[in-house]
Amino acid sequence: KQEVTQIPAALSVPEGENLVLNCSFTDSAIYNLQWFRQDPGKGLTSLLLIQSSQREQTSGRLNASLDKSSGRSTLYIAASQPGDSATYLCAVKGGSYIPTFGRGTSLIVHP
Amino acid sequence: NAGVMQNPRHLVRRRGQEARLRCSPMKGHSHVYWYRQLPEEGLKFMVYLQKENIIDESGMPKERFSAEFPKEGPSILRIQQVVRGDSAAYFCASSPFPGHENTEAFFGQGTRLTVV
């Protein structure tokens, strides 16, 4: 059974810092990994999808990497802004076709 | 192409009543997932459906909960005789055939169920 762990559980940083959020998973036989953002009381917004055959994906200030063999992914946020404050979730999809989520990293970026 | 639509957005039920949560997938998507999220927790998988079929319901409680995805119309998650512990946010996601590495899951805004 796939298990997904996200570290740290919470993070509070001043504006402008570069951040690294971590996601690890136990079964490396995956199709892809998605990073999502969730604002309080809202739904999930997809940020990046990394396919199993890819090493990284970039979108604006976000860069996500995938090391399938070691069961790890990182989400790098450059030059953080208060508007980046949210919970970040990673989800791994394997042979069951069911995305499995970590518990998320709650990020606060203060001015 | 509208996104995944869930309704209602908020639902209040008294203990013992039934709750019906609806999910209309994105156009062209025939695979639907339901998740439950408790406060300060991640998303817990409940059930995975394809049109007219339940593929995996391993995360759904055996009693009081049921789900369907008919040939026509939205997917429905039904909770009978609700209890306070059912209070949570319920999210639906849809995708085209998920067996490709470039297939992305898209989520709705959720239904927040409160049992009083």
Side-chain angles (χ1 to χ4, degrees), chain A:
Chain A
K1 179 186 172 186
Q2 180 74 270
E3 293 184 6
V4 180
T5 303
Q6 291 189 244
I7 294 173
L11 192 57
S12 180
V13 299
E15 182 176 7
E17 282 205 2
N18 300 323
L19 308 172
V20 175
L21 309 183
N22 297 290
C23 173
S24 61
F25 47 96
T26 55
D27 185 350
S28 61
I30 66 170
Y31 279 100
N32 59 39
L33 184 148
Q34 269 184 276
W35 281 95
F36 293 89
R37 169 187 172 135
Q38 185 178 30
D39 292 286
K42 304 294 185 182
L44 278 70
T45 300
S46 182
L47 298 173
L48 290 164
L49 171 81
I50 310 179
Q51 300 176 30
S52 175
S53 58
Q54 296 176 328
R55 295 289 299 217
E56 65 177 333
Q57 278 287 344
T58 298
S59 176
R61 293 183 295 109
L62 304 179
N63 175 278
S65 67
L66 174 65
D67 184 343
K68 205 171 63 164
S69 61
S70 66
R72 294 175 191 273
S73 176
T74 60
L75 179 66
Y76 178 82
I77 304 176
S80 58
Q81 303 170 358
D84 295 330
S85 298
T87 296
Y88 291 81
L89 296 158
C90 74
V92 177
K93 185 174 72 175
S96 69
Y97 296 165
I98 298 168
T100 301
F101 281 83
R103 292 177 63 121
T105 294
S106 177
L107 172 65
I108 296 175
V109 181
H110 47 88

